Amino acid sequence: MAARKRTTAPTADTVSIHDACLRYMTTEQSLRLALSHVRPDDFDTVKAVSEADLEAIASHFQPQLPETSPQQTSEPAPEQSQNALSLPQQQQHLTSATQSPIPNAQLTLIDQLARQASEEIAAVDAIAQVKNQLILNNLAVRDAELAEGINQHWQHQKQGYLGAIRDLAGLAQQKPEITPDETDLTQEIEGIITELGKKLIV
């Protein structure tokens, strides 16, 4: 059965992996690679190491000085000095490279959330405006429908009134023509008596 890996947490007698990296000015990957020589079971998961472990791997991070003559011991080789100085610079550059995206990512996330909130507010406002327009439109259509209904009812009622008026007018009788009376009754009577008198024998 495979041995269970230890994940030692930092204590008062141990040093965290982060602090150990700062002490040797190296990356966590390089530090764990060096720990693999002294802690092969948990070098990749351990969270803190003892001072003894750090002393055991210290040689992995100390620059090797070349053998020089007595006259040259006072002046370090330019390449060695450059290498010694480049390690902190590399560590600083690595730290900056690993930390710099975090604020940018946070700013991008904040900008994205702000833009999303702004667009959501605009969308909700647009929905409210459309609803208001639909309400006003429905009211206008309803008013027009009521007005047209009243108009149609009046048109029908008006035709009924006109029909009733026409029917009543049709009941009116035409005045007959008066035959003129051209006979003079008195004159006719006298004429008849005169004729009668002529026929009588007295």
Side-chain angles (χ1 to χ4, degrees):
M1 182 174 66
R4 183 177 180 181
K5 292 186 177 181
R6 294 174 297 169
T7 55
T8 306
T11 63
D13 299 330
T14 60
V15 180
S16 66
I17 293 297
H18 176 72
D19 292 340
C21 291
L22 295 179
R23 176 183 297 186
Y24 291 125
M25 293 181 294
T26 185
T27 63
E28 181 178 346
Q29 182 179 3
S30 299
L31 182 71
R32 290 188 182 278
L33 182 62
L35 286 173
S36 65
H37 298 284
V38 296
R39 301 178 65 113
D41 294 336
D42 62 349
F43 71 94
D44 56 339
T45 57
V46 66
K47 297 180 180 179
V49 293
S50 63
E51 290 291 345
D53 291 337
L54 291 180
E55 291 178 2
I57 64 174
S59 60
H60 293 273
F61 306 104
Q62 292 178 354
Q64 299 294 328
L65 297 177
E67 296 181 0
T68 57
S69 61
Q71 292 82 3
Q72 296 177 349
T73 54
S74 60
E75 296 182 2
E79 183 178 358
Q80 176 184 353
S81 176
Q82 183 177 1
N83 292 336
L85 293 176
S86 63
L87 186 59
Q89 293 176 354
Q90 292 177 357
Q91 175 65 24
Q92 182 179 3
H93 177 71
L94 180 62
T95 304
S96 301
T98 55
Q99 294 179 354
S100 59
I102 297 177
N104 294 335
Q106 292 176 349
L107 290 177
T108 302
L109 178 60
I110 293 174
D111 292 340
Q112 184 176 358
L113 291 176
R115 188 171 106 185
Q116 179 180 352
S118 177
E119 291 180 350
E120 185 173 0
I121 291 173
V124 172
D125 183 63
I127 292 174
Q129 291 182 9
V130 172
K131 286 184 177 180
N132 292 336
Q133 291 296 328
L134 289 176
I135 292 173
L136 294 176
N137 179 75
N138 291 338
L139 289 175
V141 171
R142 183 59 178 164
D143 290 343
E145 289 177 348
L146 291 175
E148 179 62 17
I150 294 173
N151 178 57
Q152 292 291 338
H153 178 72
W154 169 241
Q155 292 287 346
H156 179 73
Q157 190 174 8
K158 183 168 63 175
Q159 293 299 324
Y161 287 146
L162 292 174
I165 293 172
R166 291 189 184 96
D167 292 340
L168 291 174
L171 296 176
Q173 298 180 2
Q174 188 174 1
K175 180 182 178 181
E177 295 182 1
I178 303 299
T179 303
D181 187 4
E182 299 177 352
T183 304
D184 187 352
L185 183 59
T186 301
Q187 185 179 358
E188 289 293 331
I189 292 173
E190 289 180 354
I192 294 171
I193 292 174
T194 301
E195 290 292 330
L196 180 61
K198 294 177 178 181
K199 294 179 180 181
L200 291 178
I201 301 176
V202 179

